[in-house]
Amino acid sequence: MMSKAVLDIQEKPSAGQLITFSFQHMFAMFGSTILVPKLVGLSPAIALLTSGIATIIFLLVTQFKVPAYLGSSFAFISPIILVTGFGQAGVEVNPGNAMIGAMAVGVVYGIVSLLIWKTGYKWLMNILPPIVVAPVIIVIGLGLSGVAVDMAMNVDGKYNGLHFSAALVTLAAAIIFNVFFKNILSAMPILLGIVVGYIYSVIVGIVDFTAVQNAKFLAMPEFLIPGVDYEFKVTSAILIGMVPVVIVTISEHIGHQLVLGKVVNRNYVKDPGLHRSLLGDGLGTFASALIGGPPKTTYGENIGVLAITRVYSVYVILGAAIVAIIVSFSGQLMALIETIPTAVLGGISILLFGIIAASGLRMFVENNIDFGNNRNMVIASVILVVGIGGAAMRFTESFAIEGMALASIIGVVLNLVLPGREIVEKDIYEIEE
């Protein structure tokens, strides 16, 4: 039995409700949205700005029927680091490569949405079954585990106990809010964990406020415009480094639409249709990349807030997007975000990256994957070792398929060529009405 909505999809809130609920919703998405750019060397302000823009695009494309907020995608952290060279010794950092790759991802989304519109989506279920998608998700999470631990306990490559304590406090706070609180606080463990870790960091003296004191009240986000701030040059290395991630993000998108539909008691598979929601996601990512923002995705945090508050109104989602755009121009707030210690981000990343990996395990369980079947065992094993081990196929000095991209491609190929593949007939994405 569905709980009665406080505000249903098309209900207009009062002015007071709109302001309150919009700020609440934006801050629930805030922590995750700014964490991704912090981890890959992009601007948190531009990530916040583009999350608002992408959300508005998504609402327009889905005809204001789907109350979904788009934020920075964690699935692209490793690919962005790979193609930009961020944090890699002796490599010149080029964030423009990530923007070009994200635009290509947006184009792929558009192509897939067109195919779904014309042919349905059973073909997609056969190419991307759980036995392929689940281990790739695990690779995304575990492949980043070393990054999280290094951020948590090391400063300039050396162990620092004080910084590690800040990471552990942050991690503990996020876990407590997520597990022991059952109201709106449980929907914002990332943001609240960062806040607690930050306060602890201030107390122990590892936060430098100089940048905040020098910051302007209003400041333009750091735009990255193709042809102006970087040379727009599409290379095979960028495409192969970024595009294969859609194997995961498209599956993630479909899953979010199904769960969201159940929460708000709508069938989004039929209306407005997966082709529209996927196109909205892709256009949001493309628009974000045009001005320097990271790739976008629908957010599980968004679904959590909707389920807890029962405020489903698309006007609140629109309000949250507008609030995000306004906040992104606050120079002092963005400077304050820049003072967050790396250890605090490392502590929250330990939980986040672990949850990503665990969600892959959950997919195995929920889809009753039989590991007594050698075919399933082989596919999962190869994807995990190739992806986590960092295997690479190098064709030239500057061109290679490696890590998660290679693991994803191998997984799809193995699933298609190994005998015993079950052809999906049942429409598992359909929602019973």
Side-chain angles (χ1 to χ4, degrees):
M1 196 74 179
M2 297 295 296
S3 299
K4 181 175 172 56
V6 174
L7 285 171
D8 210 352
I9 307 294
Q10 301 299 330
E11 283 189 71
K12 294 183 179 180
S14 65
Q17 286 178 320
L18 179 62
I19 293 172
T20 303
F21 291 147
S22 294
F23 268 95
Q24 172 181 268
H25 208 91
M26 192 278 289
F27 276 112
M29 312 299 123
F30 187 83
S32 298
T33 298
I34 66 166
L35 179 57
V36 172
K38 287 283 287 182
L39 295 176
V40 299
L42 297 177
S43 163
I46 202 71
L48 197 58
L49 171 64
T50 53
S51 76
I53 293 172
T55 298
I56 293 172
I57 291 172
F58 182 87
L59 291 173
L60 289 169
V61 174
T62 56
Q63 304 170 320
F64 283 86
K65 294 179 178 180
V66 184
Y69 190 96
L70 271 62
S72 307
S73 174
F74 283 88
F76 286 94
I77 292 175
S78 184
I80 290 175
I81 291 173
L82 174 67
V83 301
T84 62
F86 178 72
Q88 300 174 37
V91 178
E92 183 180 354
V93 178
N94 186 353
N97 288 348
M99 301 304 108
I100 295 169
M103 289 180 217
V105 167
V107 171
V108 172
Y109 269 60
I111 294 170
V112 174
S113 66
L114 178 62
L115 290 173
I116 290 174
W117 178 45
K118 289 296 185 181
T119 67
Y121 41 80
K122 285 187 178 180
W123 62 271
L124 188 62
M125 299 183 322
N126 283 299
I127 293 176
L128 303 178
I131 189 58
V132 172
V133 175
V136 171
I137 293 175
I138 294 172
V139 166
I140 291 174
L142 296 186
L144 290 165
S145 58
V147 174
V149 171
D150 180 70
M151 291 172 62
M153 69 180 192
N154 295 331
V155 177
D156 296 327
K158 295 181 179 180
Y159 175 79
N160 187 299
L162 188 60
H163 280 71
F164 193 30
S165 69
L168 294 177
V169 168
T170 304
L171 176 60
I175 292 172
I176 289 169
F177 280 115
N178 185 249
V179 175
F180 294 101
F181 287 79
K182 300 301 179 185
N183 49 28
I184 186 63
L185 296 179
S186 68
M188 300 188 290
I190 296 170
L191 177 62
L192 295 173
I194 290 175
V195 168
V196 172
Y198 188 80
I199 292 172
Y200 174 83
S201 299
V202 171
I203 293 172
V204 299
I206 60 174
V207 178
D208 182 4
F209 290 104
T210 305
V212 180
Q213 296 168 356
N214 297 332
K216 297 178 181 178
F217 179 72
L218 293 176
M220 290 289 287
E222 298 173 21
F223 292 97
L224 284 174
I225 309 299
V228 177
D229 297 302
Y230 61 90
E231 181 184 2
F232 189 85
K233 184 178 180 182
V234 181
T235 68
S236 55
I238 293 174
L239 296 180
I240 291 178
M242 295 279 288
V243 172
V245 186
V246 300
I247 291 174
V248 170
T249 55
I250 288 177
S251 300
E252 177 185 56
H253 175 94
I254 294 171
H256 282 169
Q257 291 304 101
L258 285 174
V259 176
L260 178 60
K262 291 176 182 177
V263 168
V264 303
N265 198 26
R266 299 291 194 283
N267 188 336
Y268 289 134
V269 173
K270 287 186 176 179
D271 185 24
L274 284 176
H275 63 286
R276 278 189 175 273
S277 62
L278 193 61
L279 178 62
D281 205 335
L283 288 176
T285 292
F286 191 90
S288 173
L290 277 177
I291 58 175
K296 296 295 183 275
T297 185
T298 48
Y299 258 16
E301 289 93 331
N302 172 77
I303 299 171
V305 173
L306 293 178
I308 291 169
T309 64
R310 292 180 288 117
V311 175
Y312 307 148
S313 172
V314 290
Y315 297 100
V316 170
I317 304 296
L318 177 62
I322 293 171
V323 169
I325 292 171
I326 294 172
V327 170
S328 71
F329 286 90
S330 171
Q332 289 182 326
L333 177 59
M334 290 298 111
L336 186 65
I337 290 170
E338 291 294 334
T339 66
I340 299 173
T342 301
V344 170
L345 298 177
I348 207 71
S349 296
I350 289 173
L351 177 62
L352 283 171
F353 299 160
I355 288 175
I356 292 172
S359 66
L361 295 174
R362 180 179 176 180
M363 182 177 285
F364 280 138
V365 174
E366 290 180 343
N367 289 277
N368 300 313
I369 301 299
D370 178 17
F371 282 104
N373 183 327
N374 288 339
R375 183 181 190 277
N376 291 338
M377 182 68 78
V378 166
I379 294 173
S381 300
V382 172
I383 291 175
L384 289 171
V385 174
V386 168
I388 297 173
M393 290 181 63
R394 300 197 178 276
F395 298 94
T396 66
E397 188 174 336
S398 60
F399 173 52
I401 307 174
E402 55 189 296
M404 188 189 66
L406 180 59
S408 302
I409 294 169
I410 289 176
V412 169
V413 172
L414 284 176
N415 176 64
L416 293 176
V417 302
L418 290 180
R421 178 166 66 98
E422 295 182 4
I423 304 299
V424 177
E425 296 295 342
K426 182 182 177 183
D427 195 347
I428 62 171
Y429 294 152
E430 190 60 89
I431 300 173
E432 294 182 4
E433 299 186 272

